[in-house]
């Protein structure tokens, strides 16, 4: 990801699997320290990537959109049912949704 940030790509996509692997392996939920640890590690990695973007010499002239999301929620060590825990996902964006929809 850092290599792609430092290139002139117009679009970058990456996947971090640790929260998903930990959830399937030991259980989803904020009471599971392994699952929470995977999320905390992803938070740190995401911060480092955002700082790398901001450190670009051309950052002030660029219009970056950073989106971080999960592909699914989960319960116990699974997902795919109609349980609210399975259907709840996470999405964060570096710009307000309203701004994105008005372009």
């Amino acid at each position: 990801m850092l290599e792609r940030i430092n290139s002139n790509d117009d679009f970058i996509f990456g996947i971090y699997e640790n929260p998903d692997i930990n959830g399937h392996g030991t259980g989803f939920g904020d009471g599971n320290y392994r699952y929470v640890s995977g999320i905390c590690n992803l938070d740190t990695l995401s911060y480092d990537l955002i700082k790398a973007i901001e450190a670009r010499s051309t950052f002030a002239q660029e219009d970056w959109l950073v989106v971080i999301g999960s592909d699914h929620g989960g319960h116990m060590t699974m997902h795919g049912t109609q349980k609210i825990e399975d259907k709840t996902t996470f999405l964060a964006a570096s710009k307000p949704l309203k701004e994105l929809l008005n372009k």
Side-chain angles (χ1 to χ4, degrees), residues 7-22:
S7 71
N8 287 322
D9 292 349
D10 290 331
F11 183 85
I12 302 169
F13 178 84
I15 298 174
Y16 288 109
E17 294 286 344
N18 284 355
D20 190 58
I21 290 168
N22 289 354

Side-chain angles (χ1 to χ4, degrees), residues 72-75 78-89:
H72 57 75
H75 72 284
M78 63 187 112
H79 59 84
T81 72
Q82 292 301 310
K83 288 179 172 272
I84 191 67
E85 296 93 336
D86 292 2
K87 299 190 300 180
T88 301
T89 60

Side-chain angles (χ1 to χ4, degrees), residues 38-54:
I39 293 171
C40 290
N41 289 340
L42 175 57
D43 183 61
T44 300
L45 292 169
S46 299
Y47 177 82
D48 292 342
L49 293 174
I50 290 168
K51 286 300 180 188
I53 291 168
E54 292 173 346

Side-chain angles (χ1 to χ4, degrees):
M1 292 289 295
L2 289 173
E3 181 180 319
R4 302 297 1 128
I5 288 169
N6 292 319
S7 71
N8 287 322
D9 292 349
D10 290 331
F11 183 85
I12 302 169
F13 178 84
I15 298 174
Y16 288 109
E17 294 286 344
N18 284 355
D20 190 58
I21 290 168
N22 289 354
H24 284 294
T26 63
F28 294 94
D30 61 1
N32 178 356
Y33 77 92
R34 287 187 175 106
Y35 181 65
V36 172
S37 175
I39 293 171
C40 290
N41 289 340
L42 175 57
D43 183 61
T44 300
L45 292 169
S46 299
Y47 177 82
D48 292 342
L49 293 174
I50 290 168
K51 286 300 180 188
I53 291 168
E54 292 173 346
R56 289 172 50 93
S57 63
T58 54
F59 178 72
Q61 293 80 40
E62 298 172 334
D63 186 21
W64 283 81
L65 170 63
V66 177
V67 178
I68 300 172
S70 62
D71 60 340
H72 57 75
H75 72 284
M76 297 175 18
T77 59
M78 63 187 112
H79 59 84
T81 72
Q82 292 301 310
K83 288 179 172 272
I84 191 67
E85 296 93 336
D86 292 2
K87 299 190 300 180
T88 301
T89 60
F90 171 81
L91 180 65
S94 62
K95 296 180 180 186
L97 183 59
K98 182 178 178 181
E99 180 181 330
L100 299 173
L101 294 174
N102 290 330
K103 284 193 172 190

